[in-house]
Amino acid sequence: MKIKNILLTTILVMASSIASAYNTSHYDHATRGEYFHPDEMVTMIADIQYLPRYGVTNYTYIYRDGTKCVVQVDGSGIVHSILVTKP
């Protein structure tokens, strides 16, 4: 019985610490299908990564609560995807 309680507690702690990630069509000042202004987001840019193979740039933002937002933009400045990861 004691081992079962320890195992259950361990599983619950692990499940609560897993981050949830989802794609969205709008987050902060980024909207899929519209022109992206990197400086209009509420927080500062944490990372910019150009992927020449796909012709896109990933803008990464990390918010005070630990939320991470990656905005993928094509060469003409249009948002293709927005991935939000919450801690």
Side-chain angles (χ1 to χ4, degrees):
M1 184 70 167
K2 190 174 185 177
I3 293 175
K4 183 179 177 182
N5 288 340
I6 292 172
L7 183 60
L8 182 60
T9 303
T10 304
I11 291 171
L12 290 174
V13 169
M14 288 173 48
S16 67
S17 65
I18 296 173
S20 62
Y22 60 93
N23 283 313
T24 183
S25 61
H26 178 79
Y27 191 81
D28 197 351
H29 285 87
T31 303
R32 189 181 310 138
E34 294 186 9
Y35 187 79
F36 182 62
H37 300 280
D39 298 326
E40 289 183 1
M41 297 292 273
V42 173
T43 191
M44 290 176 40
I45 296 174
D47 185 39
I48 300 172
Q49 184 179 23
Y50 177 66
L51 304 173
R53 180 177 185 174
Y54 304 105
V56 297
T57 302
N58 288 340
Y59 293 89
T60 304
Y61 298 87
I62 299 176
Y63 294 81
R64 178 175 265 170
D65 67 351
T67 300
K68 180 179 174 183
C69 176
V70 179
V71 181
Q72 192 172 69
V73 181
D74 68 10
S76 60
I78 304 299
V79 176
H80 278 263
S81 70
I82 303 167
L83 177 66
V84 178
T85 307
K86 295 200 179 253

